Amino acid sequence: MSMSDFADFASHRHPFDLLETDRLEELATLATEISVKAGETILEVGQAVSGLYLIRSGAIDLITPEETLLLHLNVGNCFGERAMLSGSGAPNKAIASQDSILFLIPTQSFEKLVADYPSFHAFFDSSLARKSSGPKASDATTDLISLTIGDLMTANPITVAPDLSVNKAAKVMEKKNISCLLVTEQEKLTGILTSGDLTHRIIAAGRSLETPVKDVMTPEPFTLGPDALGFDALMAMMERTHTHLPVVENGKLVGILTNTNLVRRQAVSAPFLIRDLQRQNSFEKLAAIVDKVPQMLAQLVGSGVDPYNIGRIITNVTDSLTRRLVQLAEEKFGPAPIPYLWLACGSQGRQEQTGVSDQDNCLMLDDSYDEAEHGAYFKQFAQFVSDGLDACGFYYCPGDMMATNPRWCQPVSVWRSYFSNWIEKPDPMAQMLASVMFDLRPIVGDKSLFAGLYQETLDKTKKNSIFRAHMISNSLTHTPPLSFFRGFALIKKGEHKDTVDLKLNGVVPIVDLARAYALQGAIIAANTRERLLQAKEQGTISSSGAQDLIDAYDLITTIRLEHQAKQIRDGHKPDNFMAPGTLSELERNHLKDAFIIIKTQQSALGHAQGVKI
């Protein structure tokens, strides 16, 4: 192999195109060329990897330890990097599906490239891209000061000419309900006039209302650009005791930042929303508060809050709304005649809500329940709360998994029989219902109604391997959107053509896997990340397998949240359908790696239970 062969080939392949010409030529002197025949094994599972393989021609199949095809790699693809980065053996078998020529870059050379080029490292190590160091404490109120002024300001502020009388200026301020006017001349900012200026420099000084604005304005006010941090603006305003800050970009006025802007942003933090929810008495007013949640989501994403905490923060608001609706129901219909417990399942139950969600809930009643005596009360009670949730944007569950359905508004003894029957007779319907109901979390009411029942149910599932096998089989029905040739399997028609569903084919498969491990280990936690961490501690799943799934979950959830935040900022309703073309090549590469991890773990779990996928 000549030096130019490798350099010419690699220079057109990412991430090698990040390297300088002399570095590529140096690498060419160290790389070797390997020819393999169709059917020949290049790597066995667990085998030590001697370097990074780059496919020059032909094709390579990656086969899982369970002997299922994971991926078909073709020209320009690499393999071997996961083993080197993790310091372990090859996670999958590599077999030539065609006669192939490979470039092998020695481990030492690969490690040097990783050390010298962060972008090169990031391309191969998806955990670096967005990896969270774990759940972090987050104060949404303080997070907002990391936003830019452009995110906080009021754009296109009202301006007046310097020769306008203060009388007319005051009428403009009254009509527009604003506390300041920016004074411009030929689009250039020359001063600022505030309501305080009118009070102190006109009324208190006894000056004529026909005085021109330029005589009482503050000339050449302090300004900042839209790219400066909100923290910078806050500090500047406090230091100067200013309540208004003009925003100028390239000499042109683009906005105004006021104390009102800052207070408004603080009021969109979870504590303020929760406080305001508890003060409202109608569906309309509650809905007006909940309408601010998408703005809060976009703010949290923009502030860099990790997906685990974003899910918990948003779910906290939904929980508070639910509790307020329950309180209003009791005020409307009177106190409940017997103890009850309102529970949530689905994403609310797992504390993983994002910008779009339906409602999944149920009621557990004390065993003193009597249909004739108590049925009418709980029917209207459940309807009121569910109607309130729907009015606030949590639309009715398409599968009718709600407390308004008599099946899901039952005494504890009936719930106990439900779980027992699902475990003892795990038909497809039982598997589906169990998948939903094993994510239950108490929201308001007598929590003792659920605690003993759930632990009892988990103990039964741990002892019933047949039920667990059925649940695992059900959990493998949602597969990641990978095409045979290392691409994305896009939706082929309809409204969401050429997109991937980040929820159904990205988040849900990991949720299902985590639930399966939770049932296997009798883990009480409902949150997906917490389930994986506890399963890892128990040894129910290997440490590396758990960490891979957590990294994949964090990555996919982050991309999903950023997609929704962008839609919100653009004035659209958030959804889960993302076109991969909107991502950078690096982001697409990491997303594919996350999907590969899911497929690998599904294969491993299915094989362990004798389930085909």
Side-chain angles (χ1 to χ4, degrees):
M1 175 188 71
S2 70
M3 243 202 299
S4 60
D5 286 344
F6 176 86
D8 288 347
F9 180 83
S11 65
H12 295 91
R13 302 293 189 280
H14 198 61
F16 297 96
D17 57 356
L18 299 171
L19 309 180
E20 300 90 348
T21 301
D22 58 348
R23 195 62 184 268
L24 275 172
E25 291 175 350
E26 177 192 341
L27 199 58
T29 65
L30 301 169
T32 56
E33 189 176 278
I34 302 171
S35 296
V36 291
K37 296 291 186 183
E40 186 176 339
T41 298
I42 299 114
L43 290 172
E44 292 283 2
V45 174
Q47 179 181 334
V49 176
S50 54
L52 179 73
Y53 293 87
L54 172 62
I55 304 173
R56 180 181 184 183
S57 64
I60 305 297
D61 287 343
L62 295 185
I63 310 297
T64 70
E66 297 74 40
E67 295 297 326
T68 60
L69 176 64
L70 174 64
L71 213 57
H72 182 81
L73 305 179
N74 49 31
V75 175
N77 290 150
C78 297
F79 61 97
E81 73 280 0
R82 282 185 63 196
M84 287 187 288
L85 290 170
S86 64
S88 58
N92 300 292
K93 184 188 293 186
I95 298 178
S97 57
Q98 303 173 15
D99 290 348
S100 304
I101 297 175
L102 312 173
F103 290 126
L104 177 61
I105 300 165
T107 300
Q108 201 169 17
S109 300
F110 175 77
E111 290 173 345
K112 195 164 186 344
L113 289 170
V114 162
D116 293 346
Y117 295 88
S119 296
F120 190 91
H121 190 185
F123 179 83
F124 288 110
D125 189 0
S126 59
S127 67
L128 289 180
R130 305 166 190 271
K131 185 176 178 181
S132 167
S133 58
K136 299 176 288 188
S138 174
D139 180 345
T141 302
T142 57
D143 278 337
L144 69 86
I145 64 175
S146 66
L147 296 171
T148 66
I149 292 175
D151 293 324
L152 299 165
M153 71 181 189
T154 299
N156 303 314
I158 305 298
T159 63
V160 296
D163 292 325
L164 187 73
S165 69
V166 292
N167 182 39
K168 291 181 178 178
K171 289 180 178 178
V172 172
M173 293 168 70
E174 180 184 25
K175 181 178 180 181
K176 299 293 184 180
N177 192 28
I178 54 179
S179 57
C180 78
L181 287 171
L182 295 175
V183 186
T184 58
E185 195 167 11
Q186 296 179 343
E187 295 190 347
K188 183 179 179 181
L189 178 70
T190 60
I192 183 171
L193 179 72
T194 68
S195 55
D197 293 332
L198 295 176
T199 300
H200 299 300
R201 298 176 184 176
I202 295 294
I203 298 173
R207 299 177 70 172
S208 168
L209 293 179
E210 295 305 314
T211 302
V213 165
K214 64 184 179 183
D215 290 349
V216 293
M217 72 182 185
T218 300
E220 299 180 359
F222 177 81
T223 67
L224 284 174
D227 293 330
L229 294 179
F231 178 82
D232 297 330
L234 185 60
M235 292 299 100
M237 292 168 73
M238 290 177 67
E239 182 180 348
R240 293 167 175 79
T241 64
H242 289 177
T243 56
H244 305 82
L245 176 69
V247 185
V248 174
E249 185 176 34
N250 298 324
K252 184 179 179 181
L253 177 69
V254 294
I256 180 74
L257 184 70
T258 68
N259 279 349
T260 302
N261 296 121
L262 297 174
V263 170
R264 185 181 297 124
R265 283 290 173 163
Q266 291 176 347
V268 183
S269 69
F272 282 87
L273 293 184
I274 289 171
R275 178 203 64 186
D276 291 345
L277 284 172
Q278 300 310 310
R279 297 174 175 177
Q280 309 309 319
N281 296 308
S282 70
F283 289 176
E284 293 75 18
K285 290 181 179 178
L286 288 169
I289 304 298
V290 177
D291 280 346
K292 298 177 182 178
V293 169
Q295 183 184 344
M296 182 180 73
L297 182 146
Q299 177 180 311
L300 292 169
V301 172
S303 299
V305 180
D306 60 85
Y308 173 86
N309 275 309
I310 290 177
R312 294 181 73 88
I313 289 168
I314 293 176
T315 305
N316 282 343
V317 176
T318 309
D319 289 354
S320 180
L321 168 66
T322 305
R323 286 190 284 269
R324 181 57 180 155
L325 287 168
V326 165
Q327 186 178 13
L328 291 175
E330 288 196 345
E331 290 175 5
K332 182 178 179 68
F333 305 119
I338 58 171
Y340 70 89
L341 178 63
W342 184 281
L343 303 98
C345 43
S347 59
Q348 185 184 358
R350 297 189 304 273
Q351 294 179 287
E352 296 166 1
Q353 287 190 306
T354 62
V356 55
S357 183
D358 61 354
Q359 56 174 293
D360 299 283
N361 46 61
C362 65
L363 268 170
M364 286 188 179
L365 310 173
D366 187 80
D367 278 334
S368 61
Y369 174 78
D370 177 83
E371 173 65 25
E373 187 177 353
H374 308 132
Y377 176 90
F378 284 107
K379 180 179 179 180
Q380 61 186 2
F381 176 93
Q383 192 67 56
F384 180 90
V385 177
S386 287
D387 287 348
L389 289 169
D390 180 70
C392 292
F394 298 96
Y395 52 89
Y396 299 118
C397 173
D400 204 17
M401 305 289 289
M402 299 184 298
T404 51
N405 183 339
R407 186 177 186 183
W408 311 125
C409 179
Q410 293 291 337
V412 173
S413 58
V414 175
W415 278 100
R416 181 172 282 107
S417 68
Y418 284 166
F419 281 107
S420 294
N421 289 336
W422 294 336
I423 295 168
E424 293 167 8
K425 301 174 183 177
D427 57 33
M429 179 59 72
Q431 295 166 36
M432 186 275 291
L433 294 173
S435 293
V436 175
M437 294 304 176
F438 274 112
D439 292 349
L440 283 173
R441 183 173 59 89
I443 304 300
V444 57
D446 186 348
K447 295 183 180 179
S448 68
L449 298 176
F450 178 68
L453 167 64
Y454 195 59
Q455 186 61 61
E456 173 189 319
T457 302
L458 286 174
D459 291 342
K460 286 182 179 179
T461 63
K462 190 172 183 179
K463 297 174 183 176
N464 193 318
S465 59
I466 295 175
F467 171 74
R468 291 202 315 274
H470 279 279
M471 287 296 290
I472 288 170
S473 178
N474 186 64
S475 74
L476 302 179
T477 57
H478 298 110
T479 56
L482 284 171
S483 70
F484 186 66
F485 293 101
R486 197 181 168 84
F488 293 108
L490 304 179
I491 296 172
K492 295 181 179 178
K493 58 183 179 180
E495 179 185 358
H496 304 296
K497 185 176 182 291
D498 296 331
T499 67
V500 293
D501 187 337
L502 291 172
K503 178 183 177 182
L504 186 64
N505 299 115
V507 172
V508 169
I510 302 178
V511 169
D512 289 342
L513 286 169
R515 186 186 302 110
Y517 287 120
L519 294 178
Q520 197 169 329
I523 294 169
I524 292 179
N527 179 268
T528 297
R529 208 176 194 281
E530 293 172 9
R531 280 173 165 173
L532 289 171
L533 286 171
Q534 291 184 34
K536 174 183 174 181
E537 291 173 5
Q538 285 185 353
T540 306
I541 180 176
S542 71
S543 179
S544 61
Q547 194 57 57
D548 280 349
L549 277 176
I550 290 169
D551 286 346
Y553 181 75
D554 287 347
L555 178 74
I556 295 168
T557 305
T558 298
I559 291 176
R560 180 189 181 198
L561 287 168
E562 289 182 347
H563 165 71
Q564 293 184 357
K566 183 179 185 305
Q567 290 178 310
I568 292 164
R569 287 193 294 268
D570 291 343
H572 304 305
K573 286 187 176 181
D575 62 30
N576 297 301
F577 301 95
M578 185 204 67
T582 61
L583 300 176
S584 68
E585 184 174 358
L586 178 64
E587 291 171 321
R588 290 196 299 272
N589 183 66
H590 291 329
L591 185 58
K592 288 175 190 174
D593 285 346
F595 290 152
I596 290 169
I597 286 170
I598 296 171
K599 191 172 181 180
T600 301
Q601 293 300 322
Q602 286 182 328
S603 176
L605 182 61
H607 179 77
Q609 297 293 328
V611 177
K612 292 183 179 180
I613 64 170

